[in-house]
Amino acid sequence: MLKPKQFEKRLGQLRSWREYGFILALAERNYPNFALFAELTAPDHGARVRKLLDQGWEMLGSRDHDLDVFQLLTHLSHCAPDPDAHEVYGVQPALTMVELLEQAFLCRVNPDKPRAAAASAASFAVVMTFIEFSEGEGLDEDALVDLFEGHELMQAERGFQEFLLEMLGEARSTDEAWVEALKATAANDGVSNLGLGLDADPQ
């Protein structure tokens, strides 16, 4: 496992399609969180965002795609949940997933702005908030820190992000087989970074 400064350095070194692929993979891992929420609130949005994710992977694998990133961003914005309109916990992980995909797309619009560190932190924050929500009631700050540090979901998130850095760092091109392997790893058989699959209860 990388030390914190090593991890931050590796994040900061991501550029171009590697940064895009990193954030896109985080969005993929977070997708079930969105789909679960959409099932309860806007069932058609789950399929719409799934299509946008797939188009994101298409852009990673092909330089000759004819996708309009600005149009994708517009479609995505229509699916973003309003946290003020919902009282259930699941709205925040769903919104974070949309924001991660948005940041991935924005990498294509403005590749010079670093986005990987913020995306990494957002994905970690989803896990931390979920742990606090589900297991942290009544704990003081020190006890929460101990809970986070030893929790299997936090360890899994860290392991996943470090694996992404390794896989992206070693890659020299984005051929179809490599993209499919990265996508499959990120999809994690339909289980999110919160340990939720599409047959689980988001509340």
Side-chain angles (χ1 to χ4, degrees):
M1 181 172 289
L2 296 173
K3 295 180 179 179
K5 288 187 177 180
Q6 292 174 318
F7 183 75
E8 292 171 9
K9 182 178 179 180
R10 295 282 294 275
L11 280 175
Q13 291 172 339
L14 291 174
R15 296 287 186 276
S16 186
W17 58 266
R18 289 184 175 86
E19 183 170 43
Y20 173 70
F22 178 83
I23 302 174
L24 186 65
L26 293 182
E28 181 71 52
R29 180 61 64 95
N30 278 265
Y31 171 72
N33 301 333
F34 177 87
L36 283 164
F37 179 76
E39 282 183 0
L40 299 177
T41 58
D44 61 320
H45 285 183
R48 290 182 187 180
V49 172
R50 178 68 263 170
K51 181 178 180 181
L52 290 167
L53 254 179
D54 290 340
Q55 290 172 315
W57 288 109
E58 182 181 339
M59 285 195 294
L60 180 61
S62 173
R63 295 182 180 180
D64 299 325
H65 66 81
D66 58 357
L67 296 167
D68 183 335
V69 180
F70 291 103
Q71 188 177 63
L72 298 182
L73 283 164
T74 298
H75 291 325
L76 182 63
S77 68
H78 293 159
C79 296
D82 179 1
D84 295 327
H86 302 278
E87 295 182 357
V88 296
Y89 161 77
V91 65
Q92 194 56 55
L95 181 59
T96 297
M97 183 271 147
V98 171
E99 290 171 344
L100 286 168
L101 185 53
E102 177 187 50
Q103 290 304 307
F105 287 158
L106 287 172
C107 281
R108 310 290 294 204
V109 176
N110 180 12
D112 294 328
K113 180 179 178 179
R115 302 179 188 274
S120 168
S123 195
F124 273 119
V126 164
V127 179
M128 292 173 66
T129 303
F130 178 73
I131 294 170
E132 183 174 5
F133 173 80
S134 59
E135 302 178 33
E137 184 176 358
L139 298 182
D140 62 24
E141 186 174 343
D142 290 339
L144 275 175
V145 170
D146 290 340
L147 177 62
F148 294 149
E149 288 183 350
H151 204 283
E152 61 181 357
L153 289 178
M154 285 295 290
Q155 293 173 354
E157 177 71 17
R158 183 59 178 262
F160 172 58
Q161 292 200 24
E162 289 193 5
F163 178 83
L164 289 179
L165 290 174
E166 193 71 23
M167 188 171 181
L168 288 159
E170 292 177 351
R172 294 295 173 262
S173 64
T174 57
D175 60 46
E176 183 176 347
W178 183 87
V179 170
E180 284 300 316
L182 179 61
K183 181 180 180 181
T185 297
N188 195 35
D189 294 324
V191 178
S192 79
N193 57 345
L194 304 183
L196 301 176
L198 295 184
D199 58 348
D201 183 350
Q203 297 185 62

